[in-house]
Amino acid sequence: MKIIYFIRHAKAKKIAATDFDRALNSKGKKAAKLMAGRLKSKKILPELIISSPAKRTAKTAKIIAKNINFNGKIKFEKSLYEANTQDYLKLIWQINNSLNSVFITGHNDTLTQICEILSDSHIGNIPTGGVFGIEFDVKEFKEIGARVGRVLLFDYPKKIE
């Protein structure tokens, strides 16, 4: 069994020197802590966190990691910034098979699209700070593909505020 929790970065400031440099706003920081608490209360802990290196996604991943007491390192993956669904699949297929539970922090619209493809769900939009967990009945990450997964969790800050 392999599990991936896809996490959309929390709410970010609208203005920065570049899109890549957009930081989380105060609401986003609070939401990331809230979601971390929610994950921790459900005993959802990853063996690896992979994140886009964009400022808002990196900070979301760091806040979640800190607040769930994650002891590992966050792997920052350039391909997740401005990624398409094929980029996500290539990344997933390269995850070490000794791992079973992974968090991937990224950006919409692609994050929602890959979750819909892999789980055959029609969610329309993962809100900022949202978490979409999918379980795959496979032995290797390279076996993951369209409609292979089963939804475990769909949670987001406004759902629990």
Side-chain angles (χ1 to χ4, degrees):
M1 221 36 104
K2 304 294 182 192
I3 301 172
I4 303 175
Y5 291 91
F6 294 90
I7 302 169
R8 182 177 174 195
H9 66 77
K11 197 162 274 305
K13 295 178 180 177
K14 300 218 184 281
I15 300 172
T18 67
D19 178 69
F20 189 88
D21 293 321
R22 290 175 50 218
L24 292 182
N25 62 25
S26 58
K27 196 179 226 182
K29 291 174 187 174
K30 182 181 173 188
K33 287 179 187 173
L34 177 72
M35 293 310 297
R38 187 83 167 160
L39 292 166
K40 189 174 179 180
S41 73
K42 294 178 181 287
K43 297 184 179 6
I44 296 172
L45 300 171
E47 296 166 281
L48 172 67
I49 298 175
I50 304 170
S51 177
S52 159
K55 199 168 190 175
R56 61 194 178 274
T57 45
K59 187 65 173 178
T60 299
K62 288 175 184 177
I63 289 171
I64 289 174
K66 178 182 177 186
N67 286 279
I68 63 170
N69 301 321
F70 178 69
N71 294 325
K73 287 193 175 186
I74 299 171
K75 179 182 177 188
F76 293 101
E77 183 58 53
K78 288 181 194 176
S79 68
L80 286 175
Y81 182 70
E82 297 184 338
N84 60 41
T85 55
Q86 202 57 40
D87 294 327
Y88 270 83
L89 283 173
K90 286 178 190 172
L91 176 72
I92 290 166
W93 294 336
Q94 293 174 10
I95 296 172
N96 186 322
N97 290 313
S98 68
L99 304 174
N100 294 310
S101 180
V102 177
F103 286 7
I104 298 178
T105 307
H107 308 266
N108 250 4
D109 296 322
T110 309
L111 193 74
T112 295
Q113 292 167 356
I114 195 67
C115 289
E116 289 180 338
I117 290 167
L118 297 179
S119 67
D120 196 23
S121 295
H122 301 286
I123 51 179
N125 178 52
I126 296 175
T128 52
V131 179
F132 196 86
I134 307 173
E135 178 180 60
F136 303 92
D137 189 9
V138 297
K139 291 183 181 177
E140 298 183 352
F141 283 98
K142 69 180 179 183
E143 297 174 68
I144 292 174
R147 296 175 299 285
V148 172
R150 181 179 69 86
V151 178
L152 292 176
L153 173 77
F154 182 29
D155 206 350
Y156 46 92
K158 287 188 178 180
K159 188 175 184 180
I160 57 175
E161 284 181 339

